[in-house]
Amino acid sequence: MERGEGEAEMAKVVVVTSGKGGVGKTTTTAALGAALAQRGERVVVVDFDVGLRNLDLIMGAERRVVFDLINVIQGVAKLSQALIRDKRLENLWLLPASQTRDKDALTEAGVERVIADLRTKFDWILCDSPAGIERGATLAMRYADEAIIVTNPEVSSVRDSDRIIGMLDSKTVKAESGERVTKHVLITRYDAGRAARGEMLSIDDILEILATPLLGIIPESQDVLRASNVGSPVTLNNAASVAARAYADAARRLCGETIAMMVPAERKRFMDRLLGRRAA
C-alpha cells in the first residue's frame, strides 16, 4: 500500500462536513470515495463520527471491523490492522470509527499522526465528519486541504452550513498558517418540483447565501436509499442512476475537470408536456 519510489506526494485530505445532521454526509463520502477509486485513485474513507459509526454500514463492511480509528490513536492496533479493503474496488479502503461513547478518545495529536501516515499511502483521504461544531467535527476538519460542505435546500441546513464555513476559515491548521481550506458546496436531496413551488431554496439562493463554489447537485432519489440499504455506495450499486452520475461528475470536478453542471429537471412538468403533446 506504500507509495512506490519516485511517486509524487500528492495526497489530499478532504473533509465532508455539514452544520446539520441527516443531510447525507456519509452517503456522499462513500459515493465520492468509490467514484474516485473507479478513476484509479487510491482512496481511504475515514469515519470520524465516534460513537455512531455508519460509514462501515454504507460501505458494506460492518462485519469486517476488528480495529478502528480510536484503536490506532491509542496504540492498540497498527494502522494497517485497522484499514479495511473494499471487496469491490482494490484501491478503496475504509478506516472505521469506534463505537465508544468517550468522545475524548479522539485526540488532536493522534489524529495528526494518523492523517500524516495516511498521506504516505493514499491519493485521497476523505474524512466523514460528524455534524455540528463539537470536538469530533473540529478534529475531522483540522488537517483538511479541502472541504465539501453538504447541505440540503432548506433554510436551517444552509444557515448551519454558513457556520461551518466560518469554522473552516478559523479552526484548521491551514487557517492558522494564513492559508485557506479550499471549499466546495454539494447540494443533496434537491427536488426541482418543490424548488419551483417555493417549498425549498433554489440553487441560486443557496449559492448567494454561502458564496462558495458549487461542486454538484444530487437529486432526491430512491436509488440513494436503496444503495445504503444494501451496503453499497450509490456510484457502485447503480452507476447509471441520476444520483450516481451526479456524484461521478462531482468527483471529476474535485479532480479539477470542468464539467457542465446539470440542474435536475422537474420530472412531473416534463411528463405533463410529453402527455400534452400526445393528446394534441
Side-chain angles (χ1 to χ4, degrees), residues 10-104:
M10 52 166 286
K12 274 190 184 172
V13 181
V14 181
V15 62
V16 181
T17 184
S18 75
K20 189 170 177 288
V23 298
K25 285 185 305 299
T26 303
T27 299
T28 294
T29 304
L32 289 178
L36 289 167
Q38 284 175 301
R39 293 169 54 89
E41 305 278 331
R42 286 174 296 193
V43 183
V44 60
V45 291
V46 185
D47 193 347
F48 273 83
D49 206 348
V50 172
L52 291 177
R53 202 176 90 183
N54 286 319
L55 188 55
D56 58 313
L57 275 172
I58 290 186
M59 297 292 291
E62 71 275 14
R63 289 192 296 273
R64 297 162 68 194
V65 176
V66 178
F67 295 113
D68 56 52
L69 173 61
I70 298 299
N71 292 145
V72 178
I73 285 175
Q74 293 179 335
V76 174
K78 293 179 180 175
L79 180 60
S80 58
Q81 293 176 282
L83 285 169
I84 300 171
R85 192 175 213 157
D86 187 82
K87 51 197 171 193
R88 296 147 297 209
L89 295 171
E90 66 173 16
N91 50 343
L92 177 61
W93 299 73
L94 163 70
L95 181 55
S98 167
Q99 288 185 311
T100 177
R101 294 183 180 181
D102 180 13
K103 304 281 183 180
D104 292 335

Side-chain angles (χ1 to χ4, degrees), residues 12-227:
K12 274 190 184 172
V13 181
V14 181
V15 62
V16 181
T17 184
S18 75
K20 189 170 177 288
V23 298
K25 285 185 305 299
T26 303
T27 299
T28 294
T29 304
L32 289 178
L36 289 167
Q38 284 175 301
R39 293 169 54 89
E41 305 278 331
R42 286 174 296 193
V43 183
V44 60
V45 291
V46 185
D47 193 347
F48 273 83
D49 206 348
V50 172
L52 291 177
R53 202 176 90 183
N54 286 319
L55 188 55
D56 58 313
L57 275 172
I58 290 186
M59 297 292 291
E62 71 275 14
R63 289 192 296 273
R64 297 162 68 194
V65 176
V66 178
F67 295 113
D68 56 52
L69 173 61
I70 298 299
N71 292 145
V72 178
I73 285 175
Q74 293 179 335
V76 174
K78 293 179 180 175
L79 180 60
S80 58
Q81 293 176 282
L83 285 169
I84 300 171
R85 192 175 213 157
D86 187 82
K87 51 197 171 193
R88 296 147 297 209
L89 295 171
E90 66 173 16
N91 50 343
L92 177 61
W93 299 73
L94 163 70
L95 181 55
S98 167
Q99 288 185 311
T100 177
R101 294 183 180 181
D102 180 13
K103 304 281 183 180
D104 292 335
L106 204 59
T107 64
E108 182 172 338
V111 171
E112 181 179 20
R113 180 167 48 80
V114 170
I115 293 291
D117 203 352
L118 291 172
R119 278 186 191 273
T120 68
K121 297 175 170 59
F122 295 97
D123 301 317
W124 295 87
I125 302 161
L126 302 188
C127 303
D128 181 21
S129 170
I133 58 173
E134 294 183 357
R135 182 181 178 79
T138 307
L139 285 175
M141 71 172 63
R142 180 75 183 150
Y143 300 96
D145 302 308
E146 301 194 19
I148 298 171
I149 300 134
V150 182
T151 189
N152 292 160
E154 300 167 359
V155 172
S156 60
S157 179
V158 175
R159 180 197 61 201
D160 291 349
S161 295
D162 209 21
R163 208 170 169 198
I164 290 298
I165 289 172
M167 287 180 62
L168 289 163
D169 287 339
S170 60
K171 292 202 167 183
T172 57
V173 169
K174 277 210 159 194
E176 288 173 1
S177 61
E179 298 178 72
R180 292 181 83 90
V181 173
T182 302
K183 296 181 286 294
H184 317 268
V185 168
L186 185 80
I187 300 171
T188 55
R189 306 197 65 178
Y190 181 76
D191 184 321
R194 291 186 61 200
R197 293 192 296 274
E199 296 172 4
M200 58 172 48
L201 294 175
S202 70
I203 304 295
D204 288 343
D205 289 338
I206 296 168
L207 296 181
E208 187 178 339
I209 294 168
L210 298 180
T212 299
L214 182 61
L215 184 69
I217 306 165
I218 314 300
E220 179 79 280
S221 169
Q222 288 298 311
D223 291 310
V224 174
L225 182 61
R226 284 190 207 101

